[in-house]
Amino acid sequence: MTSSNHSSDDSSRASSGIDRRELMRRAGMAGAGAGMVSIAGCGGQNDDGTTTQGTTGSSDGSGGSGVADDSFANYVTANPTNWQFNHFNFTQPFSHPMQTDMLQRWVISTNEFSDYAVSIDEFDGQNERAVLSVRDGLTWHNGDPGDPVTGEDLMAWFVCHAAVNSTVAGLYNANDIEVTGDRQIELPLDGSVNESIFRQSLNNFWLNVPYHRYGEYVERFMDATSDEERNSVRTDLRSASFDEPFGNGPFKFVSRSSNRLRMELYEHHPDADQINFDYWDVIRASTDTASVVLGMAPEGDIDMVRNFTPPQSVLSQAKQNDGILTNQIPALWGQALPFNCGHEDFGNIRVRQAIAELIDRDLVSRNYGEFGVPVQAPSGLVGNINGQNEQTDRWTRWVTDEGEEQLHRYQNPERGRRLLREEGYTKQGGKWMRPDGTQLSMPIKVPSGYTDWHPIYQTISSLLTDEGIDSEVKMIDSTSYYPNHYLEGNYVTAATGWTLGRDNPWYTFGQWFRPLADKVYKMNFKPTEVEVPPVGEPDGELQSVDVLQLFQNVRNASEENLQEAITEFAWVANQFIPMLPILEINDTAWMTSDDWNWEPAKDDAAWQAKWPQWWFPRMGLMNGKSN
Amino acid sequence: MSEANDTFTGGSSIERESARSQSDLYRERLDRYVLTPFRVVWSDWRTRLGTLIILFYIFVGTVGVRLVDPPEVGGPRLAGIFEASGYPLGTNNLGESLMASLVHATPPMLKMILAGAVFATAIAVVLGTVSGYKGGTVDAVISTIVDIAMTIPGLPLIILIVVTFEPSSPYLIGIVLSINGWAGLARNIRSQVLELRDNSYVEASRIMGRSLSGIIFDDILPNIMPFVLISFVNTARAVIFGSVALYYLGILPVSFNNWGIMLNRAYSTGGAIYSWDSVYWVVLPMVTIVMLSFGLVLFSQGTERLFNPRIRARHAETIDDTTPMEK
């Protein structure tokens, strides 16, 4: 599947109650995300595309600029003529990472942030202010060169994200933003904010809100005096449809047909001289991504598939093709088993814990394939996998040593059985019976189109069936899965990701516990009613916890106190498990190397910033081979 | 048939009945209703082979499931045929034995096929024969019902029913899948019966005052039975393929093993069409489906002889060509 962070933010949306990944799906987006940053774990239907026509520059297949191929092409499945250019509108949006610039670059393996389109000049979380600037030399694609990107554009970015209720918007006061220079703004924070949370909040975003296009919404939002007016701005911004593209990145829109969208090199971009080819194409090709991947080299038109998790046989075939490169990047994402906490059985924390004990995550991970590893301590802490598909302990850096040890691992089926018995369930004739004499049943709803998810939930279902719990995988049409099932809380257990593509636990805790209209809307429980055992005593008596206070503690923590605040919340997440994180996975990027040089060695940290295909051309680390 | 033939017997049947022992009667019935059809079936290689194939599937679905344990996750992943001990037909990506999956998919598939095909065929035969034979108002009413049923688009109706009621019983799923399959068949049967009802021997039965059911069962049905059986097989195959399609779309609940699901998983999660390494995973269920379909077709092709009175008489030991059969 495709995803985008281009326009929307990664975390739960207080307003709409929908996180970015889900919104994408809810909107049925499988296509326009050609250039959008991926959300991990969507192999099977990711980048999109199709191909029916050649795209190389000249008729002899060579480029006109001395390179073997003067156009680099990425893959989509949607029809480019259907796209519109307002990325806040989830109906067929198009916005490409080569057309606009990312705010910052983050190398996952080293946790290094570097400013790109925007720099954080000053950050004072305790005094609630930050100063940010636009990169010098950045211009819009509305002239030769176009207008400079200004502080006003940056202000528009923050205001529009407040208007649509992005998670990042919870960290600042949009109405008090000051444009303090041609390229600079002062951003008033909404209470004290931890710097690493703020930094993380800018990940996976592009500087793609030009004031000349979005000014109307900015002004209306700033002038709004009631929630009704603000909601009206949000509705209009979400439904606006732009026919004309815009951008400030190294490639500028030229034309589109039903099979191809073409962008050409924009020579006024600060990094344009790093690039030695003329065009970047977005090519529509078959929805059968596996066949597209296998056909990329040596003759194919497609040069990259941003993210595709292949079946084993496809991977084996691809490895035999010297012209195809792959690299893995931690998705900061993984599949989970969310419970309906309003359910008679699974609303019981002990039953959820029992299920967690009975599911062999190692086996599930094995059946998923080589791009996933089991979550070691189900608690919302991201960082179980590295770019080499190996298990790592990166997740432990978020918590204290003691806190890490205390987190329960859920690897003891006997404890699971004991917990069930203590809650009144009995095992008769190999079947777990509920107190009322019927068999304990745990159907799992799964989107039918996300085929790389299927082995995970099939394995879980099979394990629980063997244990005596009536469990079946219920395939739901992918287009209706999120809007009609998961987001409606219409399930017993379901399938989704347990993170939102960021590794700071604050975001994960938000996904698991942030209330909307007094309950966590997807999992049907009230945060005010969360009860967990005392720290370090999984079998201890349940005690109430103030989840909202835990949120505040994490958000307001200084860097020194952050670990402790997270440790406290991680224990609650680990015990309450509204959703059980099963795996953490890698995203797999696919590129051709027959006409292209990809310079860094495969173990270089440069490969671990999302996405290498977007960054390398800008950094001079990828170029076309000469004729 | 016997009643029809009574007319031509010399002497009363009561006299002959009393002259025969009870065991002779049972022997005759066994011969007529069991052994004779079997001999007819066995005399034709197509029917013989088809019968053997169907019997094999029934054996697998009844005895096989007791001999082979249900598939369990955790075995070696993606082992090929005869690659891993204990997994003669290999395993899938979950480490489940494909042989166990094939075997344990057989009973629900047979139930689905049987329920669907019997449901559609029975309704079609009843309505088609009555409509074609009776004519008049009865024909007009039934034809109207059939016409209405034929105009309802099948797939959307099936999807609607499945989504609304979420049937999990294989019998119910089979019926739902063939819920629209009877109308066309009923119309075809009606056409054939219209032709048959004017034949001289049917005319004769009518003149002799035979009952409607007697005429239909003895004079009409044997003539349309081969066609009915072919249609039965086609409906059965439609149930198989329909279930595959709906499972693929994620519309049917996956509550039991299913060859269609196996195919789908082989393609979607196994990449079985991209590599010879895992092609076995897609070929095995395909062969299983094709073989059952083939067996059904062969069986139905030879059934014309089964319903031909002359051939039956030739293979019956208790009937000679001039002696009418007894009831």
Side-chain angles (χ1 to χ4, degrees):
Chain A
M1 96 151 230
T2 318
S3 39
S4 152
N5 322 14
H6 224 93
S7 52
S8 51
D9 163 356
D10 280 3
S11 5
S12 321
R13 301 169 166 273
S15 67
S16 59
I18 303 169
D19 64 59
R20 178 184 50 77
R21 168 181 285 269
E22 288 156 4
L23 267 166
M24 290 291 124
R25 289 170 172 156
R26 192 164 176 164
M29 277 199 56
M36 313 197 168
V37 156
S38 130
I39 302 176
C42 309
Q45 343 202 332
N46 30 44
D47 255 16
D48 318 311
T50 48
T51 168
T52 44
Q53 60 184 50
T55 58
T56 44
S58 53
S59 55
D60 64 355
S62 62
S65 49
V67 291
D69 186 349
D70 69 351
S71 66
F72 187 82
N74 71 260
Y75 157 73
V76 292
T77 53
N79 180 339
T81 57
N82 292 336
W83 292 333
Q84 53 81 34
F85 297 96
N86 173 21
H87 50 85
F88 286 112
N89 179 343
F90 292 118
T91 305
Q92 302 271 19
F94 179 79
S95 181
H96 198 280
M98 299 311 286
Q99 192 185 25
T100 48
D101 276 356
M102 255 180 136
L103 302 189
Q104 63 188 15
R105 180 167 177 263
W106 175 48
V107 182
I108 296 169
S109 57
T110 59
N111 200 34
E112 279 179 81
F113 289 88
S114 26
D115 299 330
Y116 190 62
V118 170
S119 58
I120 302 177
D121 300 338
E122 296 174 43
F123 185 86
D124 187 345
Q126 297 309 311
N127 290 316
E128 303 176 13
R129 65 184 284 278
V131 176
L132 297 94
S133 296
V134 175
R135 182 185 184 182
D136 192 13
L138 215 53
T139 54
W140 294 109
H141 298 161
N142 60 352
D144 191 18
D147 300 329
V149 182
T150 63
E152 198 174 42
D153 296 316
L154 189 52
M155 182 265 292
W157 189 95
F158 280 102
V159 171
C160 284
H161 276 279
V164 296
N165 257 320
S166 296
T167 298
V168 63
L171 304 178
Y172 57 85
N173 291 318
N175 286 74
D176 298 326
I177 298 173
E178 280 183 57
V179 179
T180 52
D182 286 347
R183 295 181 294 105
Q184 192 179 68
I185 63 165
E186 182 163 325
L187 189 71
L189 302 178
D190 184 16
S192 58
V193 178
N194 174 276
E195 185 171 3
S196 61
I197 290 176
F198 182 78
R199 254 296 183 187
Q200 184 91 200
S201 73
L202 301 182
N203 270 347
N204 302 334
F205 280 118
W206 283 257
L207 188 53
N208 53 4
V209 187
Y211 190 88
H212 64 258
R213 185 64 58 86
Y214 288 94
E216 171 201 342
Y217 305 99
V218 172
E219 296 306 322
R220 280 178 56 198
F221 187 79
M222 302 282 264
D223 295 341
T225 53
S226 67
D227 283 347
E228 193 181 345
E229 288 176 20
R230 280 185 279 271
N231 288 340
S232 158
V233 176
R234 178 183 312 126
T235 304
D236 293 349
L237 185 52
R238 284 282 185 218
S239 58
S241 178
F242 299 161
D243 295 331
E244 290 300 314
F246 58 85
N248 51 34
F251 284 89
K252 174 183 177 180
F253 174 87
V254 181
S255 63
R256 58 174 160 166
S257 67
S258 60
N259 291 313
R260 185 183 72 176
L261 182 143
R262 168 154 281 199
M263 294 175 286
E264 68 180 352
L265 187 63
Y266 177 64
E267 296 189 353
H268 303 290
H269 186 272
D271 293 326
D273 55 358
Q274 303 277 17
I275 298 168
N276 73 339
F277 53 97
D278 298 329
Y279 298 104
W280 192 294
D281 290 329
V282 178
I283 294 185
R284 179 186 180 194
S286 160
T287 52
D288 185 354
T289 312
S291 67
V292 171
V293 159
L294 293 175
M296 286 199 310
E299 299 298 329
D301 294 324
I302 307 285
D303 294 304
M304 80 170 250
V305 172
R306 182 183 41 75
N307 176 22
F308 169 58
T309 305
Q312 187 66 44
S313 60
V314 174
L315 186 67
S316 307
Q317 288 278 94
K319 281 180 176 174
Q320 294 167 26
N321 187 332
D322 292 338
I324 298 178
L325 284 181
T326 62
N327 93 289
Q328 291 85 48
I329 312 164
L332 310 174
W333 193 85
Q335 290 85 355
L337 183 76
F339 296 97
N340 181 343
C341 296
H343 186 269
E344 193 176 352
D345 295 306
F346 302 102
N348 182 336
I349 177 177
R350 295 304 187 186
V351 175
R352 295 199 297 274
Q353 290 181 342
I355 296 296
E357 299 279 16
L358 293 169
I359 293 171
D360 180 351
R361 296 191 303 280
D362 289 344
L363 180 62
V364 175
S365 169
R366 187 205 73 154
N367 287 352
Y368 177 75
E370 64 182 281
F371 300 115
V373 298
V375 169
Q376 291 171 73
S379 49
L381 304 180
V382 182
N384 287 272
I385 193 168
N386 65 14
Q388 290 71 49
N389 299 328
E390 297 158 339
Q391 187 102 47
T392 71
D393 288 337
R394 211 159 36 87
W395 60 274
T396 60
R397 71 194 162 104
W398 295 110
V399 287
T400 62
D401 291 347
E402 188 187 11
E404 182 230 316
E405 270 178 46
Q406 285 169 335
L407 289 174
H408 192 66
R409 298 320 201 243
Y410 293 104
Q411 292 171 324
N412 183 355
E414 263 322 307
R415 177 175 181 256
R417 294 177 191 117
R418 175 171 60 79
L419 289 173
L420 283 178
R421 280 192 292 268
E422 286 172 359
E423 296 305 308
Y425 297 82
T426 52
K427 198 162 188 180
Q428 300 167 19
K431 293 180 177 177
W432 279 103
M433 309 306 280
R434 302 166 73 239
D436 68 1
T438 57
Q439 190 181 3
L440 176 60
S441 172
M442 199 192 94
I444 310 170
K445 286 186 174 178
V446 178
S448 59
Y450 302 173
T451 52
D452 58 322
W453 296 21
H454 294 177
I456 295 165
Y457 298 98
Q458 286 159 1
T459 304
I460 291 171
S461 168
S462 187
L463 286 169
L464 294 176
T465 301
D466 292 346
E467 177 61 37
I469 295 165
D470 176 25
S471 177
E472 64 170 285
V473 172
K474 300 184 86 153
M475 293 292 176
I476 307 294
D477 179 65
S478 309
T479 52
S480 70
Y481 175 76
Y482 275 94
N484 299 334
H485 295 268
Y486 180 64
L487 293 176
E488 291 295 314
N490 174 21
Y491 61 88
V492 178
T493 64
T496 195
W498 60 274
T499 84
L500 294 169
R502 294 193 167 107
D503 76 342
N504 192 305
W506 187 71
Y507 296 97
T508 317
F509 297 151
Q511 185 199 8
W512 292 25
F513 289 96
R514 178 170 289 122
L516 178 81
D518 91 354
K519 70 173 185 176
V520 177
Y521 69 103
K522 291 165 292 193
M523 290 168 282
N524 292 330
F525 70 92
K526 292 185 176 179
T528 50
E529 296 174 359
V530 171
E531 291 184 330
V532 296
V535 175
E537 301 174 38
D539 290 328
E541 198 164 323
L542 302 182
Q543 302 169 342
S544 286
V545 289
D546 186 345
V547 169
L548 300 180
Q549 185 57 53
L550 291 174
F551 268 122
Q552 285 298 327
N553 294 349
V554 174
R555 195 188 110 137
N556 299 345
S558 62
E559 287 304 311
E560 299 76 46
N561 299 330
L562 183 64
Q563 225 183 25
E564 272 183 36
I566 289 175
T567 300
E568 198 180 1
F569 207 148
W571 171 257
V572 174
N574 173 253
Q575 291 301 303
F576 193 74
I577 45 171
M579 62 168 71
L580 175 68
I582 307 284
L583 298 182
E584 199 172 324
I585 67 170
N586 270 343
D587 285 338
T588 306
W590 302 77
M591 300 137 285
T592 59
S593 57
D594 50 350
D595 292 333
W596 308 95
N597 291 312
W598 301 84
E599 286 185 16
K602 289 307 292 290
D603 58 355
D604 193 298
W607 286 101
Q608 297 300 301
K610 287 188 173 181
W611 286 83
Q613 302 99 314
W614 313 141
W615 286 117
F616 284 11
R618 288 173 161 102
M619 299 164 74
L621 298 177
M622 169 269 189
N623 51 57
K625 290 180 178 175
S626 55
N627 266 329
Chain B
M1 288 205 57
S2 59
E3 284 180 61
N5 291 332
D6 279 352
T7 320
F8 305 102
T9 57
S12 83
S13 58
I14 300 168
E15 287 172 27
R16 282 184 292 103
E17 188 71 30
S18 59
R20 296 166 58 187
S21 69
Q22 196 71 8
S23 65
D24 284 342
L25 191 61
Y26 287 135
R27 191 172 59 80
E28 184 180 320
R29 285 181 180 174
L30 177 74
D31 180 64
R32 280 176 51 199
Y33 295 117
V34 179
L35 297 178
T36 299
F38 181 76
R39 287 190 204 100
V40 173
V41 162
W42 208 249
S43 66
D44 183 296
W45 73 267
R46 294 172 307 174
T47 332
R48 193 187 319 159
L49 182 58
T51 305
L52 285 175
I53 291 172
I54 293 167
L55 285 173
F56 172 74
Y57 278 82
I58 292 170
F59 173 82
V60 169
T62 50
V63 180
V65 290
R66 299 179 195 286
L67 301 176
V68 179
D69 289 332
E72 284 185 12
V73 296
R77 289 183 80 225
L78 300 168
I81 295 174
F82 299 124
E83 272 183 19
S85 75
Y87 302 94
L89 297 184
T91 60
N92 62 13
N93 60 334
L94 308 182
E96 293 174 322
S97 163
L98 289 186
M99 188 172 93
S101 298
L102 288 170
V103 166
H104 284 269
T106 306
M109 281 302 284
L110 291 179
K111 288 173 188 171
M112 269 167 50
I113 292 165
L114 189 69
V118 166
F119 169 79
T121 310
I123 289 186
V125 167
V126 170
L127 293 181
T129 47
V130 170
S131 171
Y133 185 79
K134 289 291 286 182
T137 309
V138 173
D139 182 31
V141 170
I142 292 177
S143 292
T144 306
I145 294 169
V146 169
D147 287 345
I148 292 168
M150 281 177 76
T151 54
I152 299 172
L155 186 62
L157 176 69
I158 290 169
I159 290 173
L160 193 69
I161 292 170
V162 164
V163 167
T164 307
F165 298 104
E166 294 191 350
S168 56
S169 156
Y171 293 113
L172 266 179
I173 291 173
I175 289 171
V176 168
L177 287 172
S178 58
I179 201 155
N180 213 41
W182 59 268
L185 180 56
R187 175 156 291 268
N188 291 338
I189 289 172
R190 174 183 172 274
S191 308
Q192 297 212 7
V193 173
L194 279 175
E195 195 180 332
L196 289 170
R197 70 193 292 261
D198 295 328
N199 283 351
S200 54
Y201 60 90
V202 181
E203 198 86 33
S205 292
R206 264 202 303 272
I207 290 165
M208 287 185 297
R210 294 210 58 208
S211 66
L212 171 66
S213 60
I215 293 173
I216 285 178
F217 279 105
D218 287 341
D219 296 335
I220 305 284
L221 278 184
N223 287 291
I224 60 167
M225 220 48 204
F227 171 74
V228 167
L229 269 177
I230 289 279
S231 302
F232 181 92
V233 168
N234 284 336
T235 310
R237 289 167 63 233
V239 168
I240 298 171
F241 302 143
S243 71
V244 171
L246 292 184
Y247 277 116
Y248 181 81
L249 292 169
I251 290 165
L252 282 173
V254 188
S255 50
F256 47 79
N257 282 301
N258 176 290
W259 302 325
I261 287 288
M262 286 179 72
L263 274 177
N264 176 257
R265 288 181 185 173
Y267 164 71
S268 62
T269 64
I273 64 169
Y274 301 108
S275 165
W276 289 110
D277 293 344
S278 52
V279 75
Y280 66 94
W281 186 2
V282 80
V283 165
L284 286 170
M286 204 181 286
V287 166
T288 309
I289 292 167
V290 168
M291 283 303 295
L292 178 57
S293 184
F294 184 60
L296 288 165
V297 169
L298 281 179
F299 178 79
S300 67
Q301 279 184 344
T303 49
E304 186 183 354
R305 301 160 54 80
L306 194 60
F307 295 97
N308 184 321
R310 288 173 183 275
I311 294 174
R312 283 172 64 102
R314 201 178 306 143
H315 284 84
E317 290 176 355
T318 54
I319 306 170
D320 63 48
D321 288 344
T322 58
T323 306
M325 287 190 287
E326 296 290 343
K327 282 228 164 140

